[in-house]
Amino acid sequence: MIAKEYAKIAYKALEDKKGSRIRIIDIHDISVMGDYLIIADGSNYNQVQAMCDNVEEQLHLAGASLKNREGNSNGGWILLDYCDIIVHIFTEDARSFYDLEHIWRDGIFCSVEDL
């Protein structure tokens, strides 16, 4: 499944830029908006932007098309929508505020090795 491969690539891209608390949530059974949510945070605005840039670059090289991008690093949150996967990159404070893990608790939390 291509979504799994894209999720692995996005995870690795976040990890390469020292993203913290990277989580993958399988939502394909509970939502029509995608198969996987990937959530990560960075310690400052520059790191959040670097993580975003790396995800976009690596997924572009893999052939993924970015459907939509919202937010910016100065706001503490960036969303990258690739249809099958949705990547949320936060500052630590913004991640705590939005608490997506709680909102999507009905999804299946999985590791990159599970994909």
Side-chain angles (χ1 to χ4, degrees), residues 35-77:
D35 292 334
Y36 297 98
L37 290 179
I38 302 169
I39 305 167
D41 61 68
S43 59
N44 59 59
Y45 298 127
N46 290 335
Q47 184 184 13
V48 168
Q49 188 62 56
M51 292 163 59
C52 174
D53 293 344
N54 201 37
V55 169
E56 286 183 313
E57 179 181 351
Q58 297 305 313
L59 285 174
H60 174 76
L61 291 172
S65 297
L66 180 63
K67 177 182 172 186
N68 194 20
R69 178 182 176 166
E70 294 185 26
N72 62 59
S73 60
N74 292 335
W77 164 75

Side-chain angles (χ1 to χ4, degrees), residues 11 13-23 38-52 55 76-78 87-101:
Y11 184 96
L14 293 165
E15 191 176 58
D16 286 349
K17 295 299 178 182
K18 309 295 186 220
S20 298
R21 300 182 296 158
I22 305 170
R23 300 293 305 261
I38 302 169
I39 305 167
D41 61 68
S43 59
N44 59 59
Y45 298 127
N46 290 335
Q47 184 184 13
V48 168
Q49 188 62 56
M51 292 163 59
C52 174
V55 169
W77 164 75
I78 299 173
V87 181
H88 293 273
I89 308 169
F90 295 99
T91 59
E92 294 166 352
D93 290 341
R95 183 172 182 167
S96 295
F97 177 78
Y98 288 104
D99 195 13
L100 292 184
E101 287 94 341

Side-chain angles (χ1 to χ4, degrees), residues 17-31:
K17 295 299 178 182
K18 309 295 186 220
S20 298
R21 300 182 296 158
I22 305 170
R23 300 293 305 261
I24 301 169
I25 307 172
D26 182 338
I27 60 167
H28 83 273
D29 285 337
I30 61 171
S31 178

